[in-house]
Amino acid sequence: VLAGTYTTRATVHLLRKLGMNVVELKPASNFDKVVENVRAVGKAVGESARADSMVLRMERELSELRGPTNEHRPRAALFYANSYTSGEGSLIDSILRHAGFGSLAREMGIRGTQKLSLETLVTRQPDALVLGHRDFPGDALAYEVFNHTALRHVRRTIPTFSLANALTICGTPHAVKAVERLRRFREKFARPVESSQ
């Protein structure tokens, strides 16, 4: 049984008491941790060679997406449901850096996930806005903040991109897709605008 270190302790204890082999995985806060988890799962299910192959493919894809070391890093503000953002020590922070962005949350000294007020978002004037979005229909109060006048103003004034939450929360090799999509977004808005003359 695969479980996260955040899984209810009583559940993990019960599974072990029933004789189940439980492998606990820590949340991945960067791509090195993704690699550790992939290899741990591979070993647990007797597929170490396949896990190593996944890791090699992921590392190759990340290398191909890497820009020059001296490239300008526009400051991106991450903004999720209930006005949350993520900073240093989070997988999305690692994804942002791999995609060539600086991070407003990191600049503010935010570690992990914390609230980011709309007032702060507006006054800090980031270069880009990255919004989390759900992959399922329906309304949710957590997303009401996305309709706020101040956030609508920010979205009209700076480049904005929506990224599926599933790509940035789960520490799997699929997180490389988030790097790829953010890299394309960055290159699109960072490209000099040609003169219309």
Side-chain angles (χ1 to χ4, degrees):
V1 177
L2 299 179
T5 53
Y6 48 82
T7 302
T8 305
R9 298 293 85 203
T11 302
V12 171
H13 177 72
L14 178 61
L15 289 168
R16 287 194 167 129
K17 192 173 180 181
L18 292 171
M20 300 288 184
N21 179 19
V22 179
V23 176
E24 292 188 78
L25 304 171
K26 295 179 181 177
S29 56
N30 56 48
F31 282 101
D32 289 340
K33 300 296 183 188
V34 172
V35 167
E36 286 178 21
N37 284 347
V38 168
R39 287 193 164 131
V41 171
K43 182 178 178 182
V45 299
E47 294 285 357
S48 291
R50 287 181 67 184
D52 288 342
S53 176
M54 290 175 74
V55 166
L56 286 173
R57 185 171 66 246
M58 183 185 80
E59 290 175 339
R60 185 186 68 247
E61 290 171 350
L62 283 174
S63 178
E64 290 170 355
L65 289 166
R66 188 172 293 124
T69 55
N70 63 344
E71 72 177 346
H72 168 66
R73 289 184 170 269
R75 291 162 52 244
L78 299 165
F79 201 73
Y80 300 118
N82 285 322
S83 304
Y84 277 95
T85 192
S86 294
E88 188 176 355
S90 64
L91 180 58
I92 183 59
D93 180 71
S94 182
I95 289 168
L96 269 184
R97 285 185 286 119
H98 275 85
F101 282 96
S103 163
L104 177 63
R106 181 180 273 260
E107 179 184 286
M108 293 172 59
I110 292 174
R111 290 190 56 81
T113 301
Q114 294 181 27
K115 291 260 189 175
L116 177 68
S117 71
L118 283 174
E119 293 85 355
T120 301
L121 179 62
V122 171
T123 57
R124 286 289 186 139
Q125 300 182 331
D127 300 312
L129 179 64
V130 178
L131 300 172
H133 79 264
R134 301 171 299 158
D135 295 329
F136 55 89
D139 296 323
L141 287 176
Y143 285 86
E144 279 301 304
V145 68
F146 282 28
N147 296 320
H148 195 283
T149 305
L151 187 61
R152 286 182 177 176
H153 170 74
V154 172
R155 294 177 74 169
R156 285 195 304 270
T157 56
I158 63 173
T160 302
F161 187 72
S162 288
L163 190 63
N165 293 336
L167 291 178
T168 63
I169 293 172
C170 301
T172 72
H174 288 294
V176 175
K177 292 178 182 176
V179 175
E180 180 185 5
R181 291 172 190 176
L182 283 170
R183 169 59 74 173
R184 284 201 309 261
F185 165 62
R186 184 199 171 283
E187 290 173 350
K188 182 178 179 181
F189 85 77
R191 189 177 300 130
V193 178
E194 295 182 4
S195 172
S196 59
Q197 295 178 347

